[in-house]
Amino acid sequence: MAAMRTILLTVAAMTILSTASAAIYNVGEPGGAWDLSTNYDTWASSRNFQTSDQIVFKYSPQAHDVLEVSKADYDSCNTASPVTTLNSRNDVVTLTAIGTRYFICGFPGHCAGGMKVKINVMPGSSSSSPAPASGPNASNAAPPTPVSAATNVEAMGFGLAVLLAIAGLMA
């Protein structure tokens, strides 16, 4: 009976921890958003995107949209054949696979003006610690925290409460 309880508690703990590991990143924050003034190369390179993470594009739909495109279309800012067109002003994209995804603004001149972002998705189970900035322009500031850090703590707190309740029922 004790072995069964240990196994159930272990499985429950693993489930709880795995559901609390995905991060949510607002594109361009904390200094910007999906706009013409944000340096998206710098923004993306300072984060460690992993499968199950989400990126959120926030913008005015009268001024911008989001097109997911191929690498060739990203490089040339071609808006003719997007993979996906998003225009809700609060677009959530879940990163479901390892690899590189490419996003541009489809409004005339915006992509050429720098409104494009390349997201490199790496394998892993948690991205709650974004990669620190490096190079000559890196600041000594603390690395950016994913938007979901507070959400992860809340989820883990709830998960631990559930775990303790299960343990109490099994005692």
Side-chain angles (χ1 to χ4, degrees):
M1 184 66 164
M4 180 60 96
R5 180 174 16 176
T6 302
I7 291 170
L8 286 173
L9 288 174
T10 302
V11 169
M14 289 171 57
T15 301
I16 291 164
L17 293 175
S18 69
T19 60
S21 64
I24 301 170
Y25 295 94
N26 287 325
V27 175
E29 286 188 349
W34 187 236
D35 57 34
L36 285 163
S37 64
T38 301
N39 182 327
Y40 296 104
D41 287 337
T42 300
W43 179 83
S45 68
S46 68
R47 281 142 183 87
N48 183 19
F49 301 104
Q50 297 179 349
T51 54
S52 299
D53 286 352
Q54 293 180 327
I55 55 173
V56 182
F57 293 88
K58 294 183 179 187
Y59 55 91
S60 166
Q62 293 79 24
H64 306 292
D65 62 8
V66 179
L67 307 180
E68 183 169 5
V69 295
S70 67
K71 181 182 182 331
D73 288 347
Y74 175 86
D75 291 340
S76 65
C77 289
N78 180 6
T79 62
S81 55
V83 174
T84 305
T85 300
L86 307 169
N87 54 16
S88 75
R89 76 180 207 132
N90 189 36
D91 303 317
V92 179
V93 177
T94 301
L95 305 174
T96 58
I98 297 166
T100 305
R101 295 182 66 178
Y102 302 92
F103 300 92
I104 64 174
C105 180
F107 278 53
H110 289 198
C111 177
M115 206 167 161
K116 61 186 197 173
V117 63
K118 174 174 59 171
I119 304 293
N120 293 313
V121 184
M122 306 302 290
S125 61
S126 172
S127 59
S128 59
S129 300
S134 60
N137 296 327
S139 70
N140 291 329
T145 302
V147 173
S148 65
T151 305
N152 285 347
V153 169
E154 291 169 7
M156 287 187 69
F158 174 75
L160 290 175
V162 170
L163 186 60
L164 290 172
I166 292 171
L169 290 173
M170 295 179 70

